[in-house]
Amino acid sequence: LMKSKKTANEDAWEKLFEEYNIIEKINKDGIFQISADQIKEHREPRLMAKFDHSINLPEIFHQNHLSILPITRGYYVIAPINTYAKFETTHRNITHLSLPDSIESLSATNIPTETIAINCAYASGILSDFLEEPNLMPTVSGRMGSENFSFFINDTRKDGKFKIEVDSSQIEIDAAYEGGRSLNLIEAKRDIADDFLVRQLYYPYRTWNGRISKTVRPIYLVYSNGIFMLYEYVFKNPDFYNSLELVKQKNYSIEDTAIGINEIEEIVHNKRVQKEPEIPFPQADSFERVINLCELLDGNNSCLTREEVTENYAFDVRQTNYYTDAGRYLGLIDKSKNDSGDPCYFLTTEGHRIMRLPFRERQLAFCSKILKHRIFKDIFKIYLSQGSLPDRNAIIKKMAKAKLYNVGSISTMARRASTIRGWLNWIVELTQM
């Protein structure tokens, strides 16, 4: 595969690493302290030090097992530290609640920001149900200074720990709700990812755990495609960053999510097959993330370049290529060139139309987009007749006969077969919500 073009962040970090001999100093001292002013010589620190998911870290960090944390206003540490935690696989069950009839300014079908997602979760009773706190009041959200505290964090290179001192670092709490027994600090996101930055829960937790007598509960909320996914964590040892454990996970919706297999069968029987487009056949196994990318583009009225998609979402450059191509294959995304001549991606008129639909109609429209491609339709028919999807080898045999665009070799087919299984599994799971 061709080496992907470096992002502006990667380019700037490579210059900083060279200029300050960062690797050499870390090898000698274990840790390197860098100021926002030093970073600013190459690029804005808010862009250079914001890595919500490990995949967003620049290549030079990955190669050397490094990460970065703020320690005070204007200073960061770079070290071989383990700053991320993987999301554990969630179950599919969905609890249904609804917005009160008296609320006119919130809509279940239009939740474009994290703030509105939190407000919907509060107004519909999702937060009260999940937290088991009946009388919640919004309290200490926004930007603020942290407490002064120190903590231990795992070394990624060997079996050891670093001690980090934090002195009034800036923290941001997306929302905080206090009930009779607890203060619940919420970090909210609209992107689906494999992992998350523990700091976004840990620094607010350490700050408020030291200030009040009630239990402080770190909560992570992910909203995407009509589903609120809530995770509650506990730090088993408050002084140890990596002592995070999942206590509880639950999914909610404030829309009707019931879809019957008969509705999918109707799509299979009614849809005419479309000619295969001259666009790379998808290699994007998670259909949830195809939808999530459409949500990102839907929130931007302008075109997003490959770099902007990569920086704003839990993708590396290669995944950005794969998932934007998947959206193009389905007619949901298109690309043009921006003023600088770089390719940029936007939702098609059809993509925007589908994203505006209520949950059930939206999912059925996505099913329709997938199943009008013959290979997907033929394999889904096998599922309907035998009750399970065929294995990879059977899918590859079907692909070999299907004359797919630019899919010649068996090894390429094997990689693309997992996308076919992934997308069709997504359709099957819709009927099991």
Side-chain angles (χ1 to χ4, degrees):
L1 273 164
M2 267 170 43
K3 179 77 183 117
S4 301
K5 191 179 141 209
K6 279 185 196 141
T7 64
N9 253 1
E10 294 197 308
D11 203 36
W13 273 115
E14 281 184 17
K15 286 174 181 157
L16 281 164
F17 268 67
E18 195 177 334
E19 190 178 335
Y20 294 104
N21 291 324
I22 292 175
I23 301 290
E24 202 178 293
K25 286 177 180 164
I26 286 171
N27 288 339
K28 180 171 166 281
D29 305 323
I31 214 158
F32 180 80
Q33 200 165 303
I34 191 165
S35 72
D37 288 341
Q38 288 169 312
I39 294 172
K40 204 172 189 170
E41 289 166 20
H42 293 275
R43 202 169 186 230
E44 269 304 315
R46 66 184 173 79
L47 300 172
M48 287 280 279
K50 186 185 183 303
F51 307 117
D52 288 347
H53 312 287
S54 62
I55 200 162
N56 300 131
L57 285 165
E59 191 55 35
I60 199 158
F61 280 76
H62 281 297
Q63 285 165 356
N64 296 283
H65 309 286
L66 302 174
S67 196
I68 184 168
L69 284 175
I71 50 168
T72 184
R73 280 177 198 269
Y75 280 90
Y76 302 84
V77 290
I78 299 171
I81 46 178
N82 181 12
T83 56
Y84 297 89
K86 281 203 173 300
F87 281 113
E88 292 172 47
T89 311
T90 64
H91 49 69
R92 304 292 299 178
N93 297 346
I94 294 173
T95 301
H96 288 87
L97 292 167
S98 54
L99 289 168
D101 293 339
S102 59
I103 299 286
E104 289 185 28
S105 56
L106 291 175
S107 160
T109 57
N110 183 22
I111 302 179
T113 65
E114 284 95 347
T115 303
I116 291 174
I118 293 165
N119 291 344
C120 284
Y122 177 57
S124 62
I126 288 172
L127 293 181
S128 276
D129 182 83
F130 182 73
L131 300 166
E132 297 175 36
E133 284 270 28
N135 302 308
L136 289 171
M137 296 297 286
T139 58
V140 289
S141 62
R143 286 186 183 170
M144 62 194 77
S146 75
E147 289 287 321
N148 298 352
F149 57 88
S150 63
F151 62 90
F152 292 94
I153 186 168
N154 282 339
D155 187 333
T156 54
R157 293 180 176 179
K158 50 184 186 285
D159 189 20
K161 294 181 176 65
F162 287 97
K163 187 176 186 184
I164 307 275
E165 305 270 351
V166 174
D167 179 4
S168 301
S169 173
Q170 185 171 287
I171 60 172
E172 185 157 3
I173 298 171
D174 291 337
Y177 289 91
E178 190 170 337
R181 298 187 308 276
S182 61
L183 173 65
N184 304 279
L185 304 179
I186 298 174
E187 176 66 25
K189 289 278 182 283
R190 291 184 70 241
D191 55 344
I192 294 172
D194 296 329
D195 63 16
F196 63 95
L197 181 60
V198 175
R199 172 180 65 75
Q200 292 175 323
L201 295 180
Y202 186 68
Y203 280 26
Y205 165 77
R206 283 300 304 269
T207 296
W208 283 98
N209 200 39
R211 288 181 187 173
I212 65 170
S213 59
K214 283 180 186 172
T215 304
V216 177
R217 297 163 72 184
I219 310 294
Y220 207 101
L221 184 160
V222 181
Y223 174 79
S224 173
N225 189 29
I227 310 296
F228 296 80
M229 292 161 268
L230 280 90
Y231 302 77
E232 180 183 354
Y233 292 94
V234 66
F235 289 97
K236 299 290 275 187
N237 174 356
D239 297 324
F240 181 30
Y241 181 103
N242 305 106
S243 67
L244 187 76
E245 275 187 21
L246 182 66
V247 177
K248 182 180 184 184
Q249 196 282 317
K250 216 169 163 185
N251 302 324
Y252 294 86
S253 185
I254 52 176
E255 295 184 81
D256 176 12
T257 60
I259 292 172
I261 191 70
N262 58 317
E263 295 176 276
I264 312 289
E265 284 176 354
E266 210 171 292
I267 292 170
V268 172
H269 297 317
N270 289 351
K271 262 294 161 205
R272 276 202 223 102
V273 171
Q274 80 169 55
K275 182 174 176 287
E276 278 295 289
E278 292 191 0
I279 288 168
F281 189 83
Q283 185 174 333
D285 296 356
S286 166
F287 196 72
E288 280 102 339
R289 297 193 76 183
V290 175
I291 299 171
N292 203 205
L293 175 59
C294 290
E295 290 178 308
L296 173 71
L297 293 173
D298 192 34
N300 284 274
N301 295 322
S302 57
C303 247
L304 288 185
T305 63
R306 183 179 302 155
E307 183 163 327
E308 286 167 333
V309 172
T310 306
E311 284 189 358
N312 279 293
Y313 193 56
F315 279 157
D316 59 22
V317 175
R318 189 179 296 176
Q319 285 177 312
T320 295
N321 291 340
Y322 289 154
Y323 277 84
T324 49
D325 279 349
R328 288 173 59 225
Y329 175 82
L330 293 171
L332 302 168
I333 294 172
D334 206 348
K335 71 174 178 179
S336 62
K337 288 209 171 9
N338 66 6
D339 296 343
S340 315
D342 296 320
C344 66
Y345 301 93
F346 59 93
L347 275 195
T348 59
T349 307
E350 174 72 345
H352 278 296
R353 181 190 74 78
I354 291 173
M355 296 311 289
R356 295 282 173 278
L357 294 171
F359 182 90
R360 275 174 34 78
E361 290 85 344
R362 188 165 67 250
Q363 311 317 302
L364 291 169
F366 287 133
C367 291
S368 176
K369 286 284 176 195
I370 295 168
L371 293 170
K372 65 176 164 185
H373 292 272
R374 179 171 293 285
I375 188 74
F376 288 93
K377 183 173 182 170
D378 287 351
I379 291 165
F380 197 74
K381 279 181 174 173
I382 297 169
Y383 167 80
L384 291 175
S385 65
Q386 66 185 33
S388 63
L389 288 169
D391 65 19
R392 182 187 291 233
N393 289 336
I395 293 175
I396 291 168
K397 278 182 189 160
K398 284 264 183 202
M399 291 174 80
K401 294 176 185 164
K403 297 190 175 68
L404 301 173
Y405 180 72
N406 254 3
V407 182
S409 70
I410 293 295
S411 64
T412 305
M413 284 182 206
R415 287 195 298 275
R416 305 300 192 266
S418 59
T419 294
I420 293 176
R421 272 188 74 87
W423 290 14
L424 295 181
N425 254 326
W426 175 80
I427 294 176
V428 171
E429 285 175 353
L430 282 180
T431 66
Q432 297 165 357
M433 281 184 163

